[in-house]
Amino acid sequence: KQEVTQIPAALSVPEGENLVLNCSFTDSAIYNLQWFRQDPGKGLTSLLLIQSSQREQTSGRLNASLDKSSGRSTLYIAASQPGDSATYLCAVWDSGNTPLVFGKGTRLSVIA
Amino acid sequence: NAGVTQTPKFRILKIGQSMTLQCTQDMNHNYMYWYRQDPGMGLKLIYYSVGAGITDKGEVPNGYNVSRSTTEDFPLRLELAAPSQTSVYFCASSHSGEDNEKLFFGSGTQLSVL
């Protein structure tokens, strides 16, 4: 059974810092890996999707990498801003074609 | 663009009552999903559908039922509400199950069973 773990559970950083969020998964035979953002009381917004054949994806100040063999992904946020404060969730779609399995998320606070 | 719409946004039920959580999408997506999110936890898959007339169980299907009579709608039914079903419920959709397909989420239904 696929399990997804995110470390740390919570993170507080001053504005302007670069930061890394970590995601690990137990079964490396994945279809894709997705990073989502969730604001309090809201739904999830897709940030980046990395297909199993890819190593990374970039969108603006966000960069996500994937190392399937080690079962790890990182989300890099450059020059963090208070508006980046949210919970970031990692999810994998494993090759058994079971829809996305989610981690518990990392709650990020960026302090002005 | 409406995207994925869920109703109601909030609901309080008494133990043993039943209700249907509504979900509709206007993107002509084939795949639809129901997840629940408990405080401090990730999302857990309840049921999903790969097209009209086809549904399948996820990780936590007990106590729930679904149907998919149209491409647009994917309602979730709670027959005998229990306190363990207190949660936030999210509906999502994607065009297909291809490896480059992102999921689009609704804004959620917060359900309390007392």
Side-chain angles (χ1 to χ4, degrees):
Chain A
K1 176 186 171 185
Q2 180 74 264
E3 292 184 2
V4 179
T5 302
Q6 291 187 247
I7 294 174
L11 180 64
S12 183
V13 300
E15 181 178 6
E17 265 202 15
N18 302 325
L19 59 100
V20 173
L21 307 181
N22 297 293
C23 172
S24 61
F25 45 95
T26 54
D27 186 344
S28 62
I30 65 169
Y31 207 42
N32 66 44
L33 182 143
Q34 302 188 36
W35 282 95
F36 294 85
R37 169 184 173 137
Q38 185 176 27
D39 293 290
K42 301 291 180 62
L44 281 71
T45 301
S46 179
L47 296 174
L48 291 165
L49 181 153
I50 311 176
Q51 296 170 257
S52 61
S53 58
Q54 298 173 328
R55 295 298 301 271
E56 66 176 354
Q57 284 287 336
T58 297
S59 176
R61 294 182 294 107
L62 306 180
N63 175 276
S65 67
L66 173 65
D67 184 342
K68 271 195 348 175
S69 61
S70 67
R72 293 181 181 179
S73 175
T74 61
L75 178 66
Y76 175 82
I77 302 177
S80 59
Q81 304 170 358
D84 295 330
S85 298
T87 296
Y88 291 81
L89 294 133
C90 169
V92 300
W93 192 310
D94 69 31
S95 62
N97 217 25
T98 303
L100 289 178
V101 177
F102 283 81
K104 295 181 180 181
T106 294
R107 189 172 68 254
L108 173 66
S109 297
V110 181
I111 310 301
Chain B
N1 292 335
V4 179
T5 302
Q6 292 183 238
T7 57
K9 293 190 182 301
F10 304 94
R11 185 71 184 268
I12 298 174
L13 284 182
K14 294 182 179 178
I15 295 172
Q17 286 186 322
S18 62
M19 76 163 294
T20 299
L21 282 66
Q22 301 291 346
C23 176
T24 186
Q25 52 90 10
D26 62 358
M27 297 174 282
N28 201 31
H29 284 172
N30 292 311
Y31 283 52
M32 296 187 74
Y33 318 83
W34 275 106
Y35 286 91
R36 61 176 284 174
Q37 184 179 35
D38 298 322
M41 305 293 287
L43 280 71
K44 294 191 175 182
L45 183 66
I46 306 172
Y47 272 96
Y48 68 103
S49 168
V50 301
I54 305 170
T55 62
D56 209 344
K57 295 179 180 179
E59 182 182 359
V60 291
N62 292 342
Y64 306 95
N65 281 299
V66 294
S67 60
R68 184 96 182 271
S69 57
T70 68
T71 300
E72 295 80 16
D73 300 308
F74 190 40
L76 178 70
R77 178 83 176 166
L78 284 70
E79 291 293 351
L80 291 171
S84 61
Q85 294 177 304
T86 294
S87 190
V88 181
Y89 292 83
F90 289 102
C91 179
S93 71
S94 63
H95 179 66
S96 70
E98 296 295 324
D99 64 355
N100 62 344
E101 291 287 342
K102 293 182 177 181
L103 265 66
F104 294 83
F105 280 80
S107 57
T109 294
Q110 187 169 330
L111 175 67
S112 295
V113 182
L114 305 176

